[in-house]
Amino acid sequence: MVCLGTSPTNQKVIRTASKMAQAFHGEFTALYVENSDSQELDLKAFQQLKKNISLAKELQANIVSTSGDDIAYQISQYAKTAGVSKLVLGRSYQKKSIFNKPTIVDKLTKLSPNLDIYIIPDNNSSKQNLNSVKYQYQNFFRFSTRDSSISISTLLIITILAYFAQIAGFDITTIILLYVLSSCIIGSLTLLPIYSFIIPFINVCLINYLFINPKYSLEIISSEYVMVLIVMIVVSFIINVLNFKLKKEKNSASLRAYSMEVLLETSQKLQQAKTYNDVMKETCVQLNKWLKRIIIFYPVNRKMLDKPYIYNPNKLLDDSNIFLTEKERTVAKWVYINNKNAGPTTSTLQEAKALYLSIRRNDKIYGVIGIDMISNKALSQYEKSLIKTILNEVSLAMDSLER
């Protein structure tokens, strides 16, 4: 298996993987992991990605895509599911530093110790990494009404408590500890990282302005207070960083556990299916169960799309016939002919009422799935990953039925 990317030298990696697949007499798969950064690709990077995918198709690769911000985890999960034994990657540019995070290779080695990983030098990917850093930098400076309200409310409550503590005769140390507590509370309750980093500085300003003489001034006349406030900032900063990492790991672990549950249940149900219709119905049941949306399935009969099957057990719409119009069927046909996604959240036929995706393995298409986008047009990155994971399982099940 090879991983697809936007680097021009990715073509060298693809060709190497193709030769290895021929040498080992194995199946050649090309995997593309779509993450949050994929939405920020410039035209040049997007065109290069299309060229790399086209090359993989020319070399008879089975093109597979999945979604998720944890790229290493997505690769390892697909490798385990599809029984991949060898993985070919391009080595991304990474400046040597003691602060470097573990590379994708390091993570994959930990997640899939039995997977053989081959690294092909990729020295031209520095620009791609710099663009990723730029996006992460912009994403860091985001604020929300919810998090701002939580932060202001917490600071207000802590300031009132500190005021009464001072009246009760407690010294400045107690007040500082109260504001350190506010940093911890805000770091735990807010979702965006920027709040964890700016709150310690706001706390210092509040303490200095309201509780340290001369009051109602940011002037500090004692060097001891300077050291105390610096230590407070450092302690609050460390606590918030650790808290942020813990939240991130917790959320990631929850999504992984849920993904495994979905994958296991879907796989077990599909294994029990005996016919094409059984697989079709079970696919609709599973997608509806996890996404809570109407599912439309266009089966393929004699290399043509047949009458669609609509699964709407909860009557999410009064009139589900809105998905049976000629306009919607035209979108589904376009997906079948071009083997590409279409509908809302894509760049093609966005006026459709559903998001249409092909169920494919290699160049063969087994059906077209439509996902209701009327009630809610937003699909999270996790939901996209879930859809692609289920459809990969469905394509494997349909492929095995034909053998």
Side-chain angles (χ1 to χ4, degrees), residues 310-360:
I310 295 183
Y311 188 75
N312 184 22
N314 300 321
K315 304 299 179 183
L316 297 176
L317 283 177
D318 295 333
D319 184 16
S320 57
N321 290 328
I322 194 171
F323 300 108
L324 298 179
T325 62
E326 188 60 32
K327 186 176 181 180
E328 293 296 305
R329 186 176 180 85
T330 301
V331 179
K333 283 182 179 179
W334 187 93
V335 171
Y336 176 68
I337 294 171
N338 295 278
N339 198 7
K340 294 180 181 179
N341 302 341
T345 74
T346 72
S347 58
T348 307
L349 302 171
Q350 298 179 354
E351 66 279 1
K353 304 298 183 184
L355 171 65
Y356 292 93
L357 309 95
S358 61
I359 302 172
R360 63 179 183 265

Side-chain angles (χ1 to χ4, degrees), residues 60 67 69-71 141 168 171 178 233 275 306 324 326 356:
Q60 306 300 313
S67 300
D69 286 329
D70 191 340
I71 296 176
F141 290 97
D171 60 13
L178 283 173
I233 289 176
T275 66
D306 211 338
L324 298 179
E326 188 60 32
Y356 292 93

Side-chain angles (χ1 to χ4, degrees), residues 18-55:
S18 175
K19 292 176 182 177
M20 288 180 61
Q22 294 175 10
F24 288 105
H25 303 288
E27 186 175 345
F28 181 31
T29 301
L31 175 68
Y32 176 62
V33 180
E34 180 184 357
N35 60 6
S36 301
D37 295 349
S38 302
Q39 306 298 324
E40 303 296 322
L41 289 179
D42 56 30
L43 180 60
K44 184 177 180 181
F46 181 72
Q47 290 177 342
Q48 184 61 54
L49 176 62
K50 289 178 66 176
K51 289 180 182 178
N52 295 343
I53 293 175
S54 297
L55 175 62

Side-chain angles (χ1 to χ4, degrees), residues 290-291 293 378-388:
W290 301 115
L291 298 176
R293 296 171 185 249
L379 277 173
S380 67
Q381 200 68 35
Y382 172 70
E383 286 177 319
K384 292 179 182 179
S385 175
L386 192 67
I387 293 168
K388 290 180 179 179

Side-chain angles (χ1 to χ4, degrees), residues 35-310:
N35 60 6
S36 301
D37 295 349
S38 302
Q39 306 298 324
E40 303 296 322
L41 289 179
D42 56 30
L43 180 60
K44 184 177 180 181
F46 181 72
Q47 290 177 342
Q48 184 61 54
L49 176 62
K50 289 178 66 176
K51 289 180 182 178
N52 295 343
I53 293 175
S54 297
L55 175 62
K57 287 181 178 179
E58 289 176 12
L59 296 174
Q60 306 300 313
N62 172 30
I63 308 297
V64 180
S65 63
T66 183
S67 300
D69 286 329
D70 191 340
I71 296 176
Y73 176 73
Q74 295 297 328
I75 295 172
S76 67
Q77 283 301 107
Y78 180 80
K80 291 175 184 177
T81 303
V84 174
S85 60
K86 302 183 189 315
L87 173 66
V88 182
L89 294 172
R91 183 187 296 278
S92 297
Y93 172 82
Q94 188 173 23
K95 188 176 179 180
K96 298 297 181 182
S97 168
I98 60 173
F99 299 108
N100 276 343
K101 296 179 180 179
T103 64
I104 289 180
V105 176
D106 296 330
K107 293 179 181 179
L108 282 171
T109 303
K110 190 174 181 179
L111 291 168
S112 303
N114 297 324
L115 182 65
D116 296 334
I117 302 175
Y118 299 85
I119 308 299
I120 309 300
D122 186 5
N123 297 323
N124 292 335
S125 61
S126 58
K127 185 175 180 181
Q128 178 185 347
N129 281 275
L130 288 174
N131 288 336
S132 177
V133 170
K134 181 180 178 182
Y135 170 75
Q136 292 174 6
Y137 178 80
Q138 293 173 342
N139 195 48
F140 177 82
F141 290 97
R142 287 174 56 224
F143 295 86
S144 73
T145 304
R146 173 193 176 277
D147 287 358
S148 296
S149 300
I150 289 173
S151 301
I152 293 171
S153 301
T154 303
L155 288 176
L156 181 61
I157 293 170
I158 290 296
T159 300
I160 293 172
L161 290 175
Y163 177 74
F164 283 112
Q166 189 179 53
I167 292 176
F170 290 95
D171 60 13
I172 193 65
T173 304
T174 302
I175 294 174
I176 289 175
L177 289 175
L178 283 173
Y179 278 97
V180 170
L181 176 63
S182 75
S183 294
C184 297
I185 293 173
I186 292 170
S188 299
L189 297 180
T190 54
L191 302 177
L192 298 175
I194 185 66
Y195 293 91
S196 297
F197 295 95
I198 64 172
I199 290 300
F201 295 96
I202 294 176
N203 283 342
V204 166
C205 293
L206 288 172
I207 293 171
N208 187 27
Y209 189 79
L210 297 174
F211 300 103
I212 295 179
N213 291 324
K215 292 183 180 179
Y216 313 119
S217 169
L218 295 178
E219 181 183 357
I220 302 178
I221 58 175
S222 173
S223 59
E224 292 181 4
Y225 284 142
V226 174
M227 288 303 302
V228 169
L229 295 178
I230 290 175
V231 170
M232 175 193 167
I233 289 176
V234 172
V235 171
S236 299
F237 182 78
I238 292 173
I239 291 173
N240 283 337
V241 168
L242 294 175
N243 193 21
F244 178 72
K245 288 184 177 180
L246 184 62
K247 281 197 299 183
K248 193 174 180 180
E249 287 296 324
K250 183 180 178 181
N251 292 336
S252 179
S254 298
L255 289 178
R256 289 177 185 178
Y258 187 69
S259 297
M260 288 301 297
E261 180 186 350
V262 173
L263 187 61
L264 181 61
E265 180 174 332
T266 303
S267 180
Q268 289 175 342
K269 294 289 185 180
L270 290 175
Q271 286 177 6
Q272 297 171 5
K274 302 298 182 184
T275 66
Y276 182 97
N277 283 340
D278 291 341
V279 175
M280 177 182 72
K281 292 177 180 178
E282 192 57 48
T283 301
C284 294
V285 169
Q286 292 300 318
L287 286 172
N288 174 267
K289 177 180 179 181
W290 301 115
L291 298 176
K292 310 298 182 188
R293 296 171 185 249
I294 300 172
I295 306 299
I296 308 99
F297 193 113
Y298 281 86
V300 174
N301 185 18
R302 297 179 181 178
K303 297 185 178 182
M304 293 181 64
L305 289 186
D306 211 338
K307 182 180 179 181
Y309 170 74
I310 295 183

